[in-house]
Amino acid sequence: MIVFTGGIGEHDAPVQEMICADLAWASVTLATSDGLTPKGVCIALARPSREEAVIVRHMRAISPEG
């Protein structure tokens, strides 16, 4: 599975399509809205990254106050 996240990866369908077209040799295809994917195909999805939440979690982990 390939996951596109953040900025361009998450919101730029033409870029997602271009990348998947370049990876067609590896059976990569964008997931369809109906959720059906042929067997043996690597799917590509766009998902929110929630980068801010990840940064906060990491900062709390290394903070002396925890």
Side-chain angles (χ1 to χ4, degrees):
M1 177 182 289
I2 296 172
V3 180
F4 294 104
T5 63
I8 293 172
E10 185 182 339
H11 301 289
D12 195 333
V15 169
Q16 296 168 9
E17 291 166 3
M18 181 181 64
I19 291 169
C20 290
D22 286 347
L23 294 171
W25 61 270
S27 298
V28 173
T29 186
L30 279 171
T32 59
S33 59
D34 61 12
L36 300 176
T37 305
K39 189 175 183 176
V41 170
C42 175
I43 61 170
L45 305 169
R47 294 289 182 252
S49 62
R50 298 184 51 216
E51 293 167 341
E52 295 85 1
V54 172
I55 292 168
V56 168
R57 187 173 68 236
H58 286 287
M59 292 305 297
R60 283 185 178 155
I62 64 170
S63 170
E65 287 118 30

